[in-house]
Amino acid sequence: KRLEEPNGRIYVAHCFFPTSAKKAEDEKNMNPVPSALKYMAFQIARIDATVRNALGKACDTASPGAFRHSARPDNLEALWSDLKVGTPGSSAIYYLVFDGLENLPDAQVKTLLEFIFSSKLASGTAGHVRILASGTDDQFTKLPGNIIDSALRIRMDKHNEPDMRLFIEDKLARGGMLQNARPGSEQQRAREKILLKLPQNVQGSYSHLKFGLDDVMRLLSMRSAVHELDQMLDQSMNSHEAAIRNLQRSLSGNEISELNE
């Protein structure tokens, strides 16, 4: 939400494809990628008068249903031209964030990635549009080598450990845990091991990190022995196991007895 706010001449639009987008492959007239482009243009038009005016004129002069007909999944370039984002001569920079590609049908992923790397998109906007797309490794490795090599790739399992450490430090500070630990003390060693091991264990997954960090905070609040913390940090992280443990801790004695029956 903060990124949607005006920041000079920089504008950010985003779309997260939910798991339900997978079903779109079997439903008539459901094309999540063209819909995402329209949604992004709307986000930008709300705060950028240049795009708003150009898009308004395009809507006024277009034939009835033109934007609806352009929603064909094989015609993204035509739709993009109609949306008037990043037109030549603009001094603004537009960031489009496509998240959740793993939730799209394969055909829609292929269409979107071909559009993102199309020469028409690159030349038509003269570098004023920059795109971030998030998905699984195999979705991007299927692209031709010369295409994928031209893009900056961020491997979540390898590149975001520094960000995760900031996240952990914030969580510890908010909980008042391991703050102002003396150098060489057990508390200092525990803090260093948490910051080192936890990001490695979760392999780039923030949902796994949340489960692991919740366990760390629970142990610290119980003032458990350091060896218990060590044992937990030395284990690989599995989100399903963590979820089950959390559910088990939430059950009362009577509920456990009932389940055992």
Side-chain angles (χ1 to χ4, degrees), residues 245-260:
R245 288 200 305 272
N246 287 342
L247 285 171
Q248 286 174 334
R249 285 197 294 269
S250 70
L251 295 174
S252 67
N254 289 338
E255 288 171 327
I256 293 172
S257 297
E258 187 177 340
L259 282 172
N260 286 339

Side-chain angles (χ1 to χ4, degrees), residues 10-210:
I10 296 174
Y11 303 98
V12 180
H14 70 278
C15 181
F16 175 75
F17 298 108
T19 53
S20 58
K22 277 282 188 187
K23 301 175 183 177
E25 197 170 30
D26 304 320
E27 296 180 16
K28 189 177 181 181
N29 299 325
M30 287 287 289
N31 297 309
V33 172
S35 297
L37 280 179
K38 294 177 185 179
Y39 174 53
M40 289 177 167
F42 171 71
Q43 289 179 60
I44 292 171
R46 284 188 301 182
I47 55 175
D48 182 1
T50 303
V51 172
R52 182 166 60 248
N53 294 336
L55 186 54
K57 290 177 182 177
C59 289
D60 291 339
T61 59
S63 59
F67 286 105
R68 183 168 65 252
H69 296 318
S70 69
R72 292 178 302 170
D74 59 345
N75 200 21
L76 287 185
E77 291 186 0
L79 173 60
W80 180 252
S81 297
D82 291 339
L83 292 176
K84 310 299 181 186
V85 176
T87 52
S90 171
S91 61
I93 297 177
Y94 303 94
Y95 288 88
L96 307 183
V97 182
F98 296 92
D99 197 6
L101 266 65
E102 65 273 16
N103 296 328
L104 284 176
D106 291 343
Q108 290 277 293
V109 174
K110 182 174 183 291
T111 299
L112 175 58
L113 292 180
E114 287 178 351
F115 166 70
I116 288 174
F117 289 103
S118 67
S119 58
K120 184 174 181 179
L121 175 64
S123 60
T125 58
H128 290 293
V129 175
R130 299 171 186 177
I131 296 178
L132 174 67
S134 172
T136 57
D137 284 342
D138 61 321
Q139 290 176 316
F140 294 97
T141 52
K142 291 176 183 176
L143 291 169
N146 61 321
I147 291 180
I148 196 61
D149 290 344
S150 67
L152 170 65
R153 290 190 67 195
I154 301 172
R155 290 286 302 273
M156 295 295 285
D157 56 339
K158 294 181 178 180
H159 297 149
N160 72 341
E161 286 187 9
D163 288 334
M164 286 189 162
R165 291 191 180 100
L166 292 175
F167 183 82
I168 294 169
E169 287 177 342
D170 181 66
K171 180 80 171 180
L172 291 174
R174 288 173 183 269
M177 301 293 184
L178 303 179
Q179 303 301 299
N180 305 314
R182 294 191 308 276
S185 65
E186 281 195 343
Q187 288 79 9
Q188 178 66 19
R189 188 175 70 82
R191 179 185 175 86
E192 290 175 353
K193 187 161 187 178
I194 291 168
L195 292 171
L196 174 67
K197 296 289 291 186
L198 203 51
Q200 294 175 356
N201 290 349
V202 301
Q203 298 180 328
S205 169
Y206 273 92
S207 60
H208 289 195
L209 178 65
K210 184 181 182 305

